[in-house]
Structures are given as C-alpha cells and as structure tokens.
Amino acid sequence: MKIYDSQQKTKREFIPQEKNNVTLYVCGPTVYDDAHLGHAKSALVFDLLCRVLRANGYEVTYARNITDIDDKIIKKAQQENKSIKEITEFYADAYNKEMSKLGVIRPDIEPKATESLDAMIEFIQKLIDANHAYKTEDGDVYFDTSSDNEYLSLSKRVQEEDDKKQRVESSLQKRNSADFALWKSVKDGSVTFDSPYGKGRPGWHLECSAMIEKHLAKPEFKFSVDIHGGGADLLFPHHENEAAQTRCATDHTLAAYWMHNGFVNIDGEKMSKSLGNSFFLKDALREYDGEVLRFYLLSTHYRSNFNFSTVDLELSKKRLDKVYRLKKRLFGLSEANDASEFKDALLEALSDDMNISLALSLIEEMISSANERLDCAGKHKELKKETISNLAFIEDVLGFGVKNPYEYFQSGVDAATKEKLSELISKRDVAKKEKDFATSDKLRDEILAFGVNIMDTPQGTFWEKI
RNA sequence: GGUGCCAUCGCCAAGUGGUAAGGCCGCAGCCUGCAAAGCUGCUAUCCCCAGUUCAAAUCUGGGUGGCACCUCCA
C-alpha cells in the first residue's frame, strides 16, 4: 500500500510500526452546528482509507475525536438558551446519523474533549516541567514555540519577522507570536473547568495530542500513531501545533504518515457561512440517497479540491445506478467469495494512495463486461457467481451497492404510489399481450407521470424512480 | 507579500519519460411493437514558448491562467 505523506510531500510505501496493526487518528468535528459537505468528505475519505487498509489485511484501530469544548459551542448554547451538553449531544448525534447514511463506518474510538480533561492537564504539566510552556499573569498557559527547534517542520512554513514583531507587541504576555494557548483562563464565569492553573478551558490543539497519547500511543514505538488525518486546512496551525506538543511532552513523534483531504468548494468558491453558500449534509440528504452522495464525494481523488455541482452529482447517481442495475440483474443468487483478477486490480488501484478514478474505471469495465456476457444466451453459472462476488467486494471496500437494488431504485416512493404503479404496470402488461399498443403507451405515459422510468426485461417490467 | 498546489476531449476525471483509462453528453448500430435498460462502434496529442532526451502530457526553465493556506475552519 502506498500513501502520500503530506509532511514529506511524497507518495511512499506504507509500513505500520506493528506488523499487522495500524493506528489511525482523524480530526473530527466541533459539534456546534450541522455537518456540511466538507465534514462528509473528510469522514468519507478516511472511511475509505480504513476499508482499504482492512482489505489489505491490516487490523485497524481508528479513532476520530469529537470536540465538545469550544467557544463556538458556548456561543450557540447562549443563542439558543440551551445547555452546552444539549448542544453537543444534539449535533454529535446528528453528525453520526448523517454519516451513517453515507455508509461511513463508526470509528473504533470516538473520544470527546470533555472526557479527556485529565489527560490534557497532565499533558500541559509535562510541557511546563520541560520548559516548553509557560504561565502568564492572566492565568493562561502558552506553548513556547521558540523552545521547539522542529517547530514548522510539518507545514514547512516560514515565519516572517515583521509579522512576529507586530504580534508580540499586540499580545505582551506571549513570548512569541506563534505561541498558542494550552489553557485559556476564563474569568467571566461562563463555562469553565478546574485546573492547577485556575479555572478555564483547554486550547483546541491540545485535545488531539492528549487523546492520541491516551488512546492509541504505545511506549515501545517511535510514533504515537501510524497515520494522522484531517482536512487540508488543519495542516497549519492545528497539526503543526499538535506535532510540537507531542514532540516536546512525550518520547513520541506524533505521526509516521500525515494525510490531508482536499476541500469541498461550491461554484469554485470555498464554502462558508459568510458567502452564504454552505451546503449542509442534511439538506443534500433530503434530495439524494446517502449512497449517491457517498459515491459523488468519493469520486474524485481525496487530495484534490472538490467542486460541488448538482450536474456532477446527477452523474454520480447514473454511475451508481449501473452498479445497482447489475446487482438487480443477479438479485437473489447466492454469493461466493472467490478471488478474481478484478478484485486484485481494484484493491491495487485503491492501495495506490486511493486512486479512486482508476478504481471506478475498473468497476465500470467489469460491469460492462459482465452485462455483455450476460446478454449472450446461456446459463452463465460461473459468470454469475463471479460477478456477485465482485459486487460484494465493491460493497466491502467502497461501500457502494450495499442496499437491496429494488429498494435503492424505489426509495422515497410511498406505499400507495407503489401499489398504483404496480396496478398500472399489470394493466399495461395485459394491453401489451393483446398487442393493444395504443393503450399500453397511454399507460406508460401515466406511469412516467409519477416521475419514474420503466423497463421491460425478460423477468418482467420494472420501474425506477428518476 | 510569504508558502504550496494545479492547468488533459463540450463536462467530470485517471495517467507523471515509451507513444492518451473510465464516466456523462453527442452520433451510428444491435436489442425492443415503440421506448427504457443493456451492448457494440465513433469522438482529444494533453494552456503557451524554449530546452533535455532515441523518446515528454509526463523532466527543466520562462510565460499565462486558476486555486489553497498564512494562527476560526473538514
């Protein structure tokens, strides 16, 4: 397996520290609002990574945190006159429900900041003891970036002197402009936690380092985790700061491989509330099947920026439909689990830094070839077995085609409509048998008026929602 | 301003030194009572210029255009 490491800026062979076990940590959401397409993209990318690693025979321990301490959460709670807990639980639950509609497998560990305060305070103390952090008169604790000679080695950023001066002047208590808060003193009595440094709240960067050390790191290894992932925007400062903290507080280097997913843009622009073009996942899920969104968001390489458009989303639906039509064609037949050239090729493509485009082209070639051979007369027992097995592999590794094909094509249609459609189709069948094509065409128009397509097959007439 | 990424058919998008995957759309055909679905065939020399090489979309240099990050952010 090959992975592009965003620290070394190169694609390299993935070798976990422990022969068959892989630890993966991904920065999850801050739960103060509904998840947007960007959150979905990130969750999907690392879900795919996890599946591909597992398909390669690795045991993966996958952790994704939930940030439930944050100024934005407090603000939201005040706005809605609710408790912090109500807000964080509501949005964490919504996040998980929506991700599950996208076929995202739950991580093995989902640590929360509120449950990791002890670990964070312990972490701060280690940094203070090692002279990598300092307290200020205000009661804040900052990480001293000048004490870490490897600071900025992850993002390869160059610090500007002018900028440095300016910042220092504006914040007299910070020793260096780049120093970031490990503990923020809060005196307004809003939401605070106790610490040896007084009441306050932990800094955002701290939680990931502390939780990784607590849940995933093993003393015998050099790196705390094999792979650390997150959105491209997190590279700096979030991941840079995490890496610095861990380097200075523990015997570990934070991650052996860093992976960053590209951004979701809308109409070529970054999604943001101020631009008014945020696209919430819950809105997209009202219009489209979760699996279509999964296919769409995964259909371009994870490192590329992704430009959302409904035209392309429709295209993804068509592509996924093809998987389901083949599945429908073979529906009810029992599944085998044999090796095939197709499976090997698919896994190889995905194992090359998740080359999804190549993987999808292999799938589409497999579908065409299977359909072509099934079109020819014959029993095709072996072919059917192999094709079903191939489809099952696609379900496992990519999470495409996991539903019952009939339900997939008919989702969002109520029972009464279904009954009506089946009635019309029966009538049309009778008309067709009697070669009364005027009536059968009229009935077809009535059927199409429900927003569905119909297709006549040797097994009978089926309809699909458009 | 600093740092980095990108530019391949009408659209989406692989390939990164050996002569352009795949999908959508379009056209022609098979199948069909007609459709739909499915299948077959057709459709690009890779932003521009110069260079390296037996060989470049792929490497180097220079343009042009687009994007991202620079301490809120997936």
Side-chain angles (χ1 to χ4, degrees), chain A residues 316-327:
Chain A
S316 286
K317 183 186 179 308
K318 286 184 184 176
R319 296 177 82 176
L320 183 60
D321 285 354
K322 284 155 67 138
V323 175
Y324 272 108
R325 289 209 184 96
L326 181 58
K327 188 173 179 183

Side-chain angles (χ1 to χ4, degrees), chain A residues 291-326:
Chain A
E291 226 178 286
V292 171
L293 285 163
R294 177 184 179 89
F295 191 107
Y296 179 48
L297 289 167
L298 283 177
S299 67
T300 59
H301 190 81
Y302 77 93
R303 278 188 279 123
S304 306
N305 279 342
F306 186 93
N307 194 29
F308 180 88
S309 88
T310 47
V311 175
D312 297 338
L313 178 52
E314 291 291 346
L315 191 154
S316 286
K317 183 186 179 308
K318 286 184 184 176
R319 296 177 82 176
L320 183 60
D321 285 354
K322 284 155 67 138
V323 175
Y324 272 108
R325 289 209 184 96
L326 181 58

Side-chain angles (χ1 to χ4, degrees), chain A residues 106-303:
Chain A
R106 287 289 285 265
D108 304 294
I109 306 170
E110 294 174 284
K112 288 180 182 161
T114 48
E115 291 164 2
S116 311
L117 277 156
D118 291 348
M120 287 194 254
I121 288 164
E122 198 183 313
F123 214 98
I124 295 173
Q125 198 52 51
K126 278 185 190 164
L127 288 168
I128 292 175
D129 293 346
N131 279 320
H132 284 296
Y134 56 92
K135 286 178 265 191
T136 68
E137 287 168 24
D138 286 349
D140 298 333
V141 182
Y142 283 102
F143 180 87
D144 182 356
T145 51
S146 67
S147 75
D148 173 22
N149 55 20
E150 287 179 61
Y151 192 65
L152 301 181
S153 62
L154 174 60
S155 62
K156 313 276 195 297
R157 193 165 293 280
V158 182
Q159 225 160 6
E160 280 187 78
E161 291 305 312
D162 290 354
D163 183 54
K164 215 184 235 174
K165 260 183 230 164
Q166 198 184 345
R167 303 275 177 167
V168 173
E169 280 163 14
S170 67
S171 174
L172 291 170
Q173 302 204 332
K174 265 164 65 163
R175 289 182 192 167
N176 313 285
S177 65
D179 291 356
F180 52 91
L182 298 168
W183 190 263
K184 286 179 284 188
S185 165
V186 178
K187 297 191 173 74
D188 63 11
S190 58
V191 181
T192 59
F193 301 92
D194 289 324
S195 84
Y197 328 105
K199 287 184 185 298
R201 295 195 289 269
W204 171 48
H205 310 302
L206 185 61
E207 72 176 85
C208 293
S209 290
M211 293 192 288
I212 286 170
E213 235 34 52
K214 179 177 168 182
H215 294 286
L216 296 173
K218 290 181 184 165
E220 65 268 34
F221 296 125
K222 179 182 173 193
F223 297 100
S224 305
V225 285
D226 290 305
I227 305 170
H228 188 136
D233 56 326
L234 298 180
L235 181 60
F236 186 85
H238 184 53
H239 289 162
E240 187 71 60
N241 292 351
E242 275 184 52
Q245 290 162 354
T246 296
R247 189 159 51 229
C248 294
T250 73
D251 297 330
H252 290 133
T253 298
L254 188 50
Y257 298 81
W258 287 90
M259 293 179 77
H260 291 93
N261 65 275
F263 256 56
V264 177
N265 297 327
I266 293 182
D267 298 327
E269 286 192 86
K270 184 175 168 172
M271 265 194 298
S272 79
K273 279 184 188 170
S274 54
L275 286 169
N277 63 354
S278 278
F279 205 134
F280 291 118
L281 186 52
K282 64 175 183 183
D283 296 326
L285 281 167
R286 266 200 286 270
E287 297 275 333
Y288 296 94
D289 186 283
E291 226 178 286
V292 171
L293 285 163
R294 177 184 179 89
F295 191 107
Y296 179 48
L297 289 167
L298 283 177
S299 67
T300 59
H301 190 81
Y302 77 93
R303 278 188 279 123

